[in-house]
Amino acid sequence: MARKVGALNERNIVDHAAFAAEYQVNVERFWSKVDRPSPQSCWEWSGALNKGYGQFHVGRSSSSVMLAHRIAYGLANGKLPEAVCHSCDNPRCCNPAHLFGGTRADNNLDMTRKGRHAKVKNAIRGEKHPQAKLTDTEVAAIREKYARGGATQRQLAARHGVCQRTIAKAVLGISFKNVARQWVMN
């Protein structure tokens, strides 16, 4: 027998109650701030917002707040994953059918795939960065010397007056991405 949308079985009722008790959510007050026109539409949060996302006070402390879509997911599923993502890309939506759980990496990947990530334009790279301690020419030489096996990262760091991690990032291309990588490591 197929389960109706919005119907709760006995296990979900227990999970719902446990979630509400654990986070001390006033369930009636929470849902009173959600406009639910139809099961398929976005359920817009009408309460307080934080950077476009709904927020709701939980617990006894006035400073304890949670994002509204996380509460909606927790009430529907009885537990919270590391991250709760919107399939509808509407930060005010609290419709559990539009929410899915995952990790922060899943959330970042979803955001990137949908083109919602911040794009860094005209980033200052390489030796032009105000905190750069190496020049682009030095980085090219460091990469070449390291690739040939002429020195360890620690030796290169000591020669150039930087820490080993700076050399590692330059060698791996994590920093100084503007400097062409014309070498291949074995």
Side-chain angles (χ1 to χ4, degrees), residues 14-102:
V14 171
D15 289 345
H16 163 85
F19 175 85
E22 179 181 353
Y23 291 96
Q24 298 180 358
V25 176
N26 181 333
V27 178
E28 188 175 313
R29 185 171 165 269
F30 173 80
W31 287 118
S32 74
K33 296 182 178 294
V34 178
D35 181 26
R36 299 179 274 182
S38 74
Q40 297 80 24
S41 66
C42 283
W43 295 358
E44 295 268 333
W45 178 255
S46 64
L49 298 175
N50 182 0
K51 297 181 183 176
Y53 290 88
Q55 67 178 16
F56 185 75
H57 286 277
V58 295
R60 294 191 176 123
S61 169
S62 62
S63 64
S64 297
V65 296
M66 284 181 71
L67 295 174
H69 68 282
R70 289 182 58 81
I71 295 172
Y73 183 92
L75 290 173
N77 296 288
K79 61 184 184 254
L80 278 180
E82 184 178 340
V84 176
C85 311
H86 289 90
S87 60
C88 60
D89 291 334
N90 178 357
R92 292 177 59 179
C93 181
C94 292
N95 185 341
H98 294 189
L99 305 173
F100 62 96

